[in-house]
């Protein structure tokens, strides 16, 4: 496959393509046209064609795209084709929901360990359960690709620092605080309150008509 | 306050400003400069000044912004100054975590009712608990601003249709499917798997260095 420099915007759309292709794959659909993709994802067909052209010549004019081939190619670009070991720090309801989240295992993400300041309340979880005091020991002994932060807001920053100092390069943050560690650590912040505020603003507009 | 047409990009940043200002307010900080805001939110100072200029003359040159005044003004624009009644459909771990989520109540969002196909397992929730068969009856009798969908993927679309038919104008969707009902219904999709895939891609890049 030809290597190109892929823009941030294209990258941001790739998970959407991947999820849609996975749905098609589950439904045993073999081929899909750029028009069909664009309608499902509410993009323009030419944008879809341009985006996918970035990854080489997937589509033949008039034939559409081979779903499995395209899904596999995007998975490789995103890094989904290799298994990922995950730990979760903070076992409140969000942390436990994530530990339990079926989608992880399916896509090659395995929650190996869950950490909290108290561990007695954690139930029905397949991962190993540790006191957060064990965090550094665990990370020194176990290769870990992604750390999820699902602590209270007040604890999140310190936990994040400990993770980064222990060598973690990838943080998925659910605490209501933006974490940032420069270029050397990948961070995705799930800002639920910001999403709720955006929704509130949008609904204000909807109700105004 | 002067009314201007505010761009989508500015609107998308407002929840960030609001959250940051709330943090300052909690810390009893009265005034803040555009430089300080820009550093905390990783924007440029001129972008911050431009963004906030959209909402009238908040800042005096050299004096910074009055935190409470700015927070209140942004809350009004976002619609956070009025109370919001919320229902949640789907009481798995995510649904229960949301029903329990302290941030809601603080910001004027009250979870009034939780619906599921089975209700015996739902515990420690302040909201009323109903079988999802009661959804339409409940909505006919109770003014509801926001409906949260926290069902399995397979059920999400049908639940969303029922909500919209029952008059819901605002949907906060946690199911791994993009919902869209045109201009008349405000929807925010929290795509956790897409966020995870983006993180995986970013971390692949980080590890390549």
């Amino acid at each position: 496959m030809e290597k190109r420099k892929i823009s941030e915007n294209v990258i941001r759309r790739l998970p959407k393509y991947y999820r849609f292709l996975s749905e098609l794959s589950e439904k045993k659909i073999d081929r899909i046209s750029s028009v069909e993709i664009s309608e499902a994802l509410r993009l323009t067909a030419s944008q879809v064609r341009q985006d996918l052209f970035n990854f080489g010549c997937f589509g033949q004019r008039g034939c559409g795209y081979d779903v499995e081939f395209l899904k596999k190619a995007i998975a490789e670009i995103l890094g989904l084709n290799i298994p990922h070991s995950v730990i979760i720090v903070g076992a409140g309801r969000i942390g436990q929901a994530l530990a339990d989240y079926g989608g992880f295992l399916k896509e090659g993400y395995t929650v190996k360990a869950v950490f909290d300041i108290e561990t007695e309340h954690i139930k029905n979880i397949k991962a190993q359960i540790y006191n957060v005091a064990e965090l550094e020991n665990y990370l020194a002994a176990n290769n870990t690709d992604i750390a999820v932060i699902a602590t209270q807001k007040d604890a999140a920053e310190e936990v994040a620092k400990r993770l980064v100092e222990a060598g973690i390069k990838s943080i998925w943050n659910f605490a209501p605080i933006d974490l940032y560690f420069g270029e050397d650590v990948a961070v995705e912040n799930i800002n639920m309150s910001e999403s709720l505020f955006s929704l509130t603003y949008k609904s204000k507009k909807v109700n105004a008509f």
Side-chain angles (χ1 to χ4, degrees), chain A:
Chain A
M1 197 187 308
E2 209 179 326
K3 289 246 176 192
R4 295 160 193 266
K5 171 101 182 110
I6 298 166
S7 82
E8 271 293 317
N9 283 332
V10 178
I11 292 303
R12 221 171 296 146
R13 284 193 288 272
L14 283 188
K16 276 195 195 299
Y17 289 119
Y18 183 77
R19 205 183 46 170
F20 179 59
L21 291 163
S22 300
E23 282 174 27
L24 296 175
S25 175
E26 278 170 29
K27 289 178 195 161
K28 313 277 181 217
I29 295 169
D30 289 341
R31 298 196 77 81
I32 184 93
S33 71
S34 48
V35 174
E36 288 166 306
I37 298 176
S38 70
E39 281 168 3
L41 302 183
R42 282 178 290 284
L43 302 166
T44 67
S46 75
Q47 191 171 37
V48 169
R49 278 190 294 264
Q50 263 177 40
D51 283 354
L52 299 182
F53 185 67
N54 277 293
F55 315 116
C57 298
F58 288 134
Q60 275 176 281
R61 188 171 280 276
C63 302
Y65 299 94
D66 182 302
V67 169
E68 288 308 321
F69 186 78
L70 187 52
K71 184 182 163 220
K72 189 159 167 269
I74 293 178
E76 270 172 35
I77 293 160
L78 290 173
L80 306 179
N81 55 326
I82 47 172
H84 301 275
S85 56
V86 179
I87 65 161
I88 296 174
V89 186
R93 278 180 157 163
I94 293 281
Q96 290 191 54
L98 291 168
D100 203 29
Y101 181 47
F104 273 20
L105 300 164
K106 199 171 64 178
E107 303 290 354
Y109 299 84
T110 311
V111 178
K112 302 273 192 183
V114 173
F115 297 82
D116 206 331
I117 43 172
E118 286 178 20
T119 56
E120 293 76 25
H121 69 287
I122 309 172
K123 281 174 198 143
N124 303 324
I125 277 179
K126 280 183 202 151
Q128 287 177 281
I129 296 163
Y130 296 95
N131 190 289
V132 73
E134 300 294 321
L135 188 60
E136 284 79 4
N137 287 341
Y138 175 90
L139 291 173
N142 296 278
N143 181 46
T144 302
D145 299 310
I146 294 172
V148 178
I149 298 181
T151 63
Q152 301 284 318
K153 183 174 145 188
D154 296 340
E157 201 149 5
E158 200 214 311
V159 164
K161 278 182 196 157
R162 285 174 63 184
L163 290 167
V164 171
E165 273 167 30
I168 285 290
K169 295 285 182 204
S170 234
I171 292 176
W172 202 22
N173 174 39
F174 284 77
I177 179 173
D178 271 346
L179 297 173
Y180 182 74
F181 291 93
E183 300 288 306
D184 295 340
V185 181
V187 180
E188 271 276 315
N189 297 295
I190 295 254
N191 287 316
M192 295 213 281
S193 65
E194 285 176 23
S195 170
L196 181 61
F197 296 161
S198 294
L199 177 65
T200 306
Y201 176 77
K202 283 192 213 165
S203 72
K204 204 181 135 193
K205 265 178 38 184
V206 163
N207 287 313
F209 291 114

